[in-house]
Structure formats: C-alpha cells, structure tokens
Amino acid sequence: MTIPKNLTLGVIFAIVTGALWGLVFVAPKTVTAFSPLMLVAGRYLVYGLLALGLVLFRLRQILPLLTAKNLAIAFGLAIIGNTLYYLLLTNAILLAGVPIATLIIGLMPVTIALVGCLQKGAVPFMRLAPALTLGTAAIALITLDAFGTGLSLGTAGPIIGMVLAMGALLSWTGFAVGNSFFLERHADLSSEDWNLIIGLVTGLQGLALMPVALNHAPLPTDTSLWLNFLFVCVAIAFFASLVANALWNRVSRLLPLTLVGPMVLFETLFALLYGFAWEQRLPQFLEIAAMLLMLASVLLSIRAHRTQPRLHTQPA
C-alpha cells in the first residue's frame, strides 16, 4: 500500500524539523556562563529581529493579517510554545540533565495524540496504542540508562528539574494543539507568514525579558564568552525557530493531529544524537534500543494513518 503524498511530505518536514529542534537541548550546555533566562531572552530577541527583517519584504501581504485577534492568538501561542516552554526546558536540562528532560518532553507524542483522538473522524486511540506504547517504552529506557549511569534524585535540583520539564510538556502540548487548530481554520494564512507573525510577538517577549535577564545573574566579562553566546543565540534563533517553526506549520497542515504527535519523537531522537556528540561518546545498549523503539513507533504511526482520511486539506 502506498503512502499518500501529503503524508510522505509531512513526515519529511517533521524529520528536518526534529533535527533542527534537537539543537535546543544542547544549547544550554554550550553557554553555561549565562543564565537560562538570558539564553531565552537572547534567542527570541534574535528570532524577532530575523522575523522583522523578513516581514519588511512582505509588508504589503502581512499587514492585513495583523488584526487584533490574530496578534492576540499569536502572542498566546508564542508564550506557551516559545518563551515559557524554552525557559522551563533550559532550567530543566540544567537541573535534571538532558536524559531526564528528554524523558518527560518525550511524552509529547502521547499527550498530543490523545488530544488528536478526540477530533471527529480521527484515527481511534486503540489503533495508535501500539505506536504510542513503543514511544513511551523508548523514553523509559532513556530514564533507566540515566539512573544506571549514576543520576540521583536525592537532591532537590533534579526533582525541581523534573517538575519544570513537566510544565514544559504541558506548555508545548498546548501550543501544538492550538497552533494546529488555528492553521486548520485559516486556509488564507500561509505557514510562513504565520511563523513570521509569531516571530514578531516572540521578539517583543524576548525584548521584555532582556532587562530582567541582564540583572538576573552575574554576567561574564570575557569577550569570547559573549561572542559564543551571540553565535548560539543566532544559530538556534535561525535554525530552531525561524526555519524549524515554519516547517512545523507545514507539518501541522499536512498531517492530522494524531500523527503530528508521534512526529515529535524526531526531536527527541536528534537531541540524543547531539548529546552523544557533545559528550564525545557512542550510545550505550539501552540508548540504542530506545532509538530503535522510537523509529518503530514512528513507522507504526505512519502505517496507522495510511488509509485514514484527512480531516483538513488546506494548502501549506
């Protein structure tokens, strides 16, 4: 049985998006001289500036879209999907470590798919259950490996980090669902223009956070550390926000919500691969098993949707 063209294209976009989003899991480790709040403010301020530059080239097309309703929705989505989410995630990574943060964030496919199953005409949950079970098992293996390498929850830091990661999970789940519903109901709004609008309001949030971030913790005086910080902010703002978010908007239009959820596993997979590269080591047995389970979960999800009719067919 052949996979529909829009399904194939959506999966390809999801893979690329996951590869770009995975960068944000490593970024906090590369700028430890700066607070997580500073990284959030820096990343999204740059994202806003990049979006503003592109908006100026499409001002005639985008200006009519800047209605009070659209800006209010974009502002809310920008908070839960960008500013608040990444602030919670960066602190969770620093307090609990990449494996535990990955464990909890990796449950997004389940939470998003559960909401998707409530839609009329959606793939039944039982049809998705095998794929979601494999994905959850993969995340569980990552946790077992983390505890096996000596991670202890005896101190408050990792526990707080887990709570923050759970908050990030709920925050981005709300964004994924809300953004998908919005795009489904606004066929006249292109994925790229919507990404630029969200980028603009996210930049305003980053600008508002910057004074707080500058006074939140002591800042380094070493010029090389600042140059590295600027490089990281520009890199993740461009690749993980501007480009990846535009691709994700296309994914949200090409795939039903029940399949959008499992596609988030690519972010987890690439986050692990980048983590291994950062630590300059090969994955252990449990980590390899977890990655294989993730891939199997995605393949089963795709198979479950092969014959499922699309709920919306707006152009991307």
Side-chain angles (χ1 to χ4, degrees), residues 113-124 181 184-185 256-258 308-312:
L114 284 176
V115 176
C117 287
L118 299 178
Q119 288 184 286
K120 183 179 179 180
V123 172
F181 285 172
E184 178 182 343
R185 288 162 175 76
L257 195 56
T258 46
Q308 188 71 14
R310 292 281 292 123
L311 295 178
H312 48 81

Side-chain angles (χ1 to χ4, degrees), residues 209-264:
L209 283 175
M210 186 56 72
V212 180
L214 290 172
N215 293 282
H216 175 67
L219 297 171
T221 57
D222 190 333
T223 304
S224 64
L225 292 177
W226 277 98
L227 289 175
N228 179 63
F229 175 75
L230 179 61
F231 172 79
V232 171
C233 286
V234 172
I236 60 177
F238 180 76
F239 291 109
S241 290
L242 190 67
V243 178
N245 289 359
L247 289 172
W248 186 253
N249 284 341
R250 285 181 171 267
V251 172
S252 297
R253 278 185 160 158
L254 290 168
L255 304 180
L257 195 56
T258 46
L259 186 55
V260 165
M263 292 299 103
V264 181

Side-chain angles (χ1 to χ4, degrees), residues 122-230:
V123 172
F125 175 76
M126 292 307 298
R127 192 170 173 180
L128 288 174
L132 297 179
T133 300
L134 288 182
T136 305
I139 302 302
L141 286 182
I142 297 172
T143 311
L144 288 175
D145 183 74
F147 287 119
T149 54
L151 179 66
S152 173
L153 294 180
T155 58
I159 297 176
I160 295 174
M162 291 178 66
V163 174
L164 294 177
M166 292 177 187
L169 167 67
L170 295 176
S171 182
W172 206 87
T173 298
F175 166 78
V177 173
N179 191 56
S180 180
F181 285 172
F182 178 84
L183 289 172
E184 178 182 343
R185 288 162 175 76
H186 293 79
D188 59 321
L189 183 60
S190 75
S191 301
E192 291 76 14
D193 287 345
W194 182 236
N195 181 42
L196 293 180
I197 293 172
I198 288 186
L200 288 177
V201 296
T202 303
L204 292 176
Q205 293 170 16
L207 181 62
L209 283 175
M210 186 56 72
V212 180
L214 290 172
N215 293 282
H216 175 67
L219 297 171
T221 57
D222 190 333
T223 304
S224 64
L225 292 177
W226 277 98
L227 289 175
N228 179 63
F229 175 75
L230 179 61

Side-chain angles (χ1 to χ4, degrees), residues 15-211:
I15 293 172
V16 179
T17 303
L20 296 176
W21 274 346
L23 295 171
V24 305
F25 283 80
V26 180
K29 297 292 186 180
T30 66
V31 289
T32 53
F34 297 85
S35 69
L37 183 59
M38 188 68 182
L39 179 58
V40 172
R43 171 190 177 181
Y44 290 128
L45 179 57
V46 174
Y47 178 27
L49 291 173
L50 292 173
L52 177 61
L54 292 174
V55 164
L56 293 178
F57 285 101
R58 292 183 49 79
L59 191 58
R60 182 176 298 179
Q61 293 83 1
I62 291 181
L63 196 58
L65 302 174
L66 300 179
T67 63
K69 181 179 180 181
N70 283 352
L71 287 174
I73 293 173
F75 192 85
L77 290 174
I79 290 178
I80 62 174
N82 290 330
T83 311
L84 177 61
Y85 166 71
Y86 197 50
L87 182 59
L88 292 170
L89 178 62
T90 51
N91 279 282
I93 290 171
L94 293 175
L95 289 172
V98 173
I100 291 297
T102 303
L103 153 74
I104 297 173
I105 297 301
L107 294 176
M108 279 184 193
V110 179
T111 57
I112 297 172
L114 284 176
V115 176
C117 287
L118 299 178
Q119 288 184 286
K120 183 179 179 180
V123 172
F125 175 76
M126 292 307 298
R127 192 170 173 180
L128 288 174
L132 297 179
T133 300
L134 288 182
T136 305
I139 302 302
L141 286 182
I142 297 172
T143 311
L144 288 175
D145 183 74
F147 287 119
T149 54
L151 179 66
S152 173
L153 294 180
T155 58
I159 297 176
I160 295 174
M162 291 178 66
V163 174
L164 294 177
M166 292 177 187
L169 167 67
L170 295 176
S171 182
W172 206 87
T173 298
F175 166 78
V177 173
N179 191 56
S180 180
F181 285 172
F182 178 84
L183 289 172
E184 178 182 343
R185 288 162 175 76
H186 293 79
D188 59 321
L189 183 60
S190 75
S191 301
E192 291 76 14
D193 287 345
W194 182 236
N195 181 42
L196 293 180
I197 293 172
I198 288 186
L200 288 177
V201 296
T202 303
L204 292 176
Q205 293 170 16
L207 181 62
L209 283 175
M210 186 56 72

